[in-house]
Amino acid sequence: MRWWKMLGLAGIMGVAATGVVIARAERRRRAYTPEEIKVRLRERVDQNQPEGRRS
C-alpha cells in the first residue's frame, strides 16, 4: 500500500506545480496596460494577414 501513498503525493505535487505555472502566466498577462494589449494584438494581426490584405 505504500506505493499508493507515493502515487497520491506525486499527483498532489503535480496539481500544485500546475497551479503555480498558471498563476505566474496570469500575473504576466494582467501586467499589460490596455494600450499595450491593443498594440500587441494589432501587430499579431498584421503578421498573420496575407501580403495582399494588409491595410
Side-chain angles (χ1 to χ4, degrees):
M1 284 294 200
R2 185 174 181 180
W3 64 276
W4 280 106
K5 290 180 184 179
M6 290 295 189
L7 185 63
L9 184 60
I12 291 170
M13 290 174 59
V15 168
T18 302
V20 168
V21 169
I22 291 171
R24 283 184 183 173
E26 185 69 17
R27 256 185 274 139
R28 246 184 263 134
R29 186 183 68 80
R30 290 180 185 231
Y32 295 116
T33 66
E35 288 302 316
E36 289 173 323
I37 293 171
K38 287 178 190 177
V39 169
R40 290 179 63 135
L41 287 173
R42 286 183 181 135
E43 288 173 354
R44 192 178 300 172
V45 167
D46 287 343
Q47 288 176 353
N48 291 327
Q49 285 184 349
E51 201 59 39
R53 296 190 65 194
R54 291 190 181 171
S55 51

